[in-house]
Amino acid sequence: MNKKILMFLLVIVSLFSLFGCGKATKEVNVSVREIAEKIKNEVESSPMVELKEEEVKEKYYVNPDIIEEFVVEIPLMNVKADELGIIKVKDEKNVDEVIEGIKKRAGDVQKTFETYLPDQYENAKNYTLKNNGKYILFIISEDSEKIESIFDGYFK
């Protein structure tokens, strides 16, 4: 009898190890514009201007051909370092390429404020950059935790 129970348990453990017991992750398909609008509605910010495709290519060092959609906003006037970028790539294999371009952009913003406005330089140094699947979030903001929380809410 003990051998039968032991064999049964062994089979169950083997099945769990083969197939796993975690829940499958579903692919999220939400518009980056929807995410950006929710952020703008819930977080107060300085006046921003939205970049066009060529400007994203130039300032973010990203090939637009690999981007499915994006919303990138920078300050209207160069007295704040705040930026918001939400980018969805066409293929997850391109996430690292976009992240590298955004890191260069973060460095550019830091250089801009390094000797100009020390408080904004500190803000630029403490940027947030993360991704979830095909979605990439870049934030320079004093409210970065709140913005990050809103972004994360779409992937739960």
Side-chain angles (χ1 to χ4, degrees), residues 88-150:
K88 180 180 180 187
V89 293
K90 293 177 182 175
D91 190 325
E92 255 184 270
K93 71 180 182 187
N94 298 117
V95 166
D96 290 339
E97 180 180 340
V98 174
I99 287 174
E100 286 308 308
I102 292 172
K103 286 179 181 178
K104 288 179 188 175
R105 172 63 183 168
D108 292 347
V109 174
Q110 290 168 18
K111 285 178 190 162
T112 298
F113 289 99
E114 190 171 29
T115 58
Y116 177 48
L117 294 170
D119 64 323
Q120 294 305 305
Y121 173 62
E122 286 302 314
N123 206 12
K125 285 192 327 187
N126 296 313
Y127 68 90
T128 299
L129 177 59
K130 71 181 307 184
N131 81 290
N132 193 316
K134 294 180 178 182
Y135 296 82
I136 302 156
L137 174 69
F138 174 59
I139 313 164
I140 299 176
S141 172
E142 293 172 1
D143 293 315
S144 62
E145 287 179 13
K146 185 172 184 180
I147 294 169
E148 186 176 0
S149 175
I150 294 168

Side-chain angles (χ1 to χ4, degrees), residues 59-74:
K59 292 182 183 298
Y60 275 62
Y61 308 95
V62 175
N63 178 353
D65 294 339
I66 64 172
I67 296 174
E68 186 171 321
E69 60 177 322
F70 68 91
V71 171
V72 175
E73 296 183 345
I74 63 173

